[in-house]
Amino acid sequence: MSDTVFHLQDVLLSLKGNAGPVDILRGISLNVESGESVALTGPSGSGKSSLLMVMGGLEQATGGTVHALGQDLTAMNEDALARFRQGRMGIVFQSFHLIPTMTALENVATPLELAGVQDAFERAREALDIVGLGHRTGHYPAQMSGGEQQRVALARACAPRPAILLADEPTGNLDSANGAAIMDLLFSLRDQYGATLVLVTHDPVLAERCDRSIALADGKIA
Ligand SMILES: Nc1ncnc2c1ncn2[C@@H]1O[C@H](COP(=O)(O)OP(=O)(O)O)[C@@H](O)[C@H]1O
Ligand SMILES: [Mg+2]
């Protein structure tokens, strides 16, 4: 059994733009080993989010291969990718992406239910306790601060105990105090669950907390 969680070979991502195709990722090769934490850094527009989306199977590479946990994501259709992510990948975005018509508890429990977890609501409650929101389980996203919403998003990402955690500038919409609290939580959840973490950030202090940084520039590894 291999300990390589991600194996990317010559990954290309080219999207249709108004003035013809735009090359967003231009030949990315990298490996991430089990239990590693890796920061993706680089200037705005360098392709960090696009690379994370390709690693998470949310965007299909237009060239090259992406293996995650030994499976070739580039050979999967959207349904297969969605099934693959279930329970294996937890993803956190800058803008929280909570479902507005669901309570905090429902937001966390729903993916667990979809993954076939028997005690989904019990597990969701535990996860909300861990992020310090045990008293807010019945609140809707609009009734919570940005920091609280991101805690819910973290609980949702971590509750299925995924092998992989992907985070795209998870503190980008938060003030520095809330941002620091979310980062502490992200790293402590990662330690607790032993997940492999890939974190997009342009904050050098956060990048320092990871085992390794990969700098992108103009769709390539700099
Ligand atoms: N859907 C899209 N269509 C066309 N261009 C896109 C699309 N998404 C991103 N881009 C372009 O791809 C480049 C990389 O974007 P992105 O991955 O979001 O960079 P980063 O996260 O490093 O800021 C940027 O130039 C951006 O404008
Ligand atoms: Mg980005």
Side-chain angles (χ1 to χ4, degrees):
M1 206 185 90
S2 157
D3 284 323
T4 301
V5 170
F6 283 108
H7 176 63
L8 278 69
Q9 193 70 46
D10 299 323
V11 169
L12 306 175
L13 180 66
S14 175
L15 295 174
K16 286 192 199 79
N18 289 333
V22 187
D23 295 325
I24 293 170
L25 299 177
R26 303 189 302 140
I28 303 255
S29 298
L30 62 87
N31 282 352
V32 179
E33 304 302 322
S34 178
E36 254 196 311
S37 55
V38 173
L40 297 179
T41 65
S44 180
S46 57
K48 304 182 296 295
S49 294
S50 303
L51 177 57
L52 199 74
M53 293 301 100
V54 165
M55 293 171 83
L58 293 164
E59 188 85 72
Q60 266 296 13
T62 47
T65 53
V66 177
H67 284 86
L69 300 169
Q71 308 250 353
D72 183 0
L73 302 191
T74 43
M76 293 184 194
N77 64 22
E78 270 185 40
D79 287 347
L81 285 169
R83 275 197 305 278
F84 175 76
R85 279 194 300 271
Q86 258 173 31
R88 293 191 184 87
M89 285 202 196
I91 310 182
V92 186
F93 301 94
Q94 181 171 342
S95 50
F96 322 137
H97 288 211
L98 298 178
I99 296 171
T101 54
M102 288 187 181
T103 64
L105 186 64
E106 290 163 348
N107 264 284
V108 179
T110 299
L112 290 166
E113 284 193 304
L114 290 173
V117 173
Q118 294 296 318
D119 51 349
F121 278 81
E122 190 56 37
R123 282 263 293 274
R125 224 178 283 280
E126 276 169 28
L128 285 166
D129 267 337
I130 291 171
V131 301
L133 287 179
H135 61 301
R136 292 241 171 198
T137 57
H139 287 238
Y140 289 89
Q143 299 171 314
M144 292 184 281
S145 70
E148 288 171 336
Q149 290 182 59
Q150 195 61 307
R151 283 166 189 269
V152 176
L154 271 181
R156 178 180 60 182
C158 295
R161 296 168 200 160
I164 297 169
L165 270 177
L166 303 177
D168 191 352
E169 306 203 39
T171 62
N173 281 341
L174 304 177
D175 61 42
S176 58
N178 272 304
I182 286 292
M183 268 305 150
D184 288 345
L185 202 49
L186 178 65
F187 279 92
S188 95
L189 287 166
R190 178 197 95 97
D191 292 345
Q192 218 163 312
Y193 296 122
T196 301
L197 171 67
V198 182
L199 166 69
V200 169
T201 182
H202 52 235
D203 181 343
V205 176
L206 291 182
E208 266 300 302
R209 286 180 75 164
C210 294
D211 298 325
R212 182 157 64 101
S213 283
I214 297 173
L216 296 188
D218 206 13
K220 290 183 171 179
I221 294 177

